[in-house]
Amino acid sequence: MTAGAIKRRKGKAHFPIATAYDAPFAQFVEAAGIDVVLVGDSVGNVVLGFDETTPVTLESIIYHTQAVARGTTRAHIMADMPFGSYQVSNEDALRSAIRLVKEGGACSVKLEGGRDQAERIRAITGAGIPVVGHIGVTPQTAGLGPGFKMRTHRDRLIDDARSVEVAGAYAIVLEVVDYEISREITELLSIPTIGIGSGPQCDAQVLVLHDILGMYPHSPSFAKRYAEMGSLATKALQTYAQEVRDGVFPPAMQVAERVP
Ligand code: KIV
């Protein structure tokens, strides 16, 4: 699945994207028919135990992207550029993007920012690496502005979206953007919009895997929990622990064959 093929989905049927950070869950995502996987820097929150995404390193994203690449066969792997990997200079940004592709196995990279990051997007796409933009709520710099509140500055959002497209991005994430403004941006741009908490008009939707699966007690209000895997996992582990304590597991009769 190439970036070009994703771009050509613009205006056609809505398509789903999910994050994944390791081989087994990437396999589940692909088996569900989802052919675009984002190795998000949300790995910091949902896998690595950080409160925010800023501590996530380029090495971490490369490591998790490699695992996702091993777990998939044909899905498009989009890798997030973590905080600090693209802000300093165009050269730095390009070097980081090349590492994500060459070492990680990413098919494209995503970075946060609008007009202020257009130069970086141009530098990376100029070297032949497809880029996804990301505007609205940008968690890497949420501390600077209105945090995680819905973005409603129409003119600024439209200007950012246009700048990202003109700079050469093949798609753009709209995170927690007012639904009406998202609709307007989706109509204005010729590249797909990928919504998260930004309404049903976007060309695609993306959600964090752990929110979809209900791994933690709380998830953002815009996310839908399609399972309660956190409590399922706890129950399974409680049963295992109890069976060991009660002498129920392992059973008395030895199992002869070994699982290969
Ligand atoms: O890191 C991430 O998972 C993301 C999505 C929330 C869009 O950037």
Side-chain angles (χ1 to χ4, degrees), residues 170-189:
Y170 77 90
I172 184 168
V173 168
L174 307 180
E175 182 162 351
V176 197
V177 169
D178 172 83
Y179 282 19
E180 193 46 36
I181 300 170
S182 286
R183 188 195 54 74
E184 210 179 328
I185 292 173
T186 302
E187 282 174 7
L188 274 172
L189 299 192

Side-chain angles (χ1 to χ4, degrees), residues 19 21 38-43 45 53 80 110 112 134 139 173 175 194 196 206-208 222:
T19 67
Y21 316 95
L38 169 65
V39 184
D41 60 358
S42 50
V43 68
N45 305 89
T53 57
D80 242 342
K110 174 170 86 59
E112 294 183 7
H134 181 156
V173 168
E175 182 162 351
I194 303 168
I196 173 160
V206 62
L207 280 180
V208 168
F222 56 73

Side-chain angles (χ1 to χ4, degrees), residues 147-214:
F148 292 84
K149 283 205 189 105
M150 177 172 287
R151 298 302 194 260
T152 55
H153 287 100
R154 178 187 170 278
D155 294 351
R156 170 138 187 234
L157 286 161
I158 289 178
D159 179 59
D160 277 337
R162 277 209 169 111
S163 306
V164 165
E165 174 172 23
V166 169
Y170 77 90
I172 184 168
V173 168
L174 307 180
E175 182 162 351
V176 197
V177 169
D178 172 83
Y179 282 19
E180 193 46 36
I181 300 170
S182 286
R183 188 195 54 74
E184 210 179 328
I185 292 173
T186 302
E187 282 174 7
L188 274 172
L189 299 192
S190 61
I191 57 173
T193 55
I194 303 168
I196 173 160
S198 299
Q201 312 283 352
C202 298
D203 296 292
Q205 296 292 326
V206 62
L207 280 180
V208 168
L209 180 80
H210 291 56
D211 295 333
I212 299 171
L213 299 180

Side-chain angles (χ1 to χ4, degrees), residues 57-67 96 99-100 103-104:
T57 62
L58 184 61
E59 275 63 32
S60 284
I61 298 284
I62 291 171
Y63 177 80
H64 288 280
T65 305
Q66 288 168 337
S96 302
R99 287 195 65 195
L100 287 167
E103 296 174 44

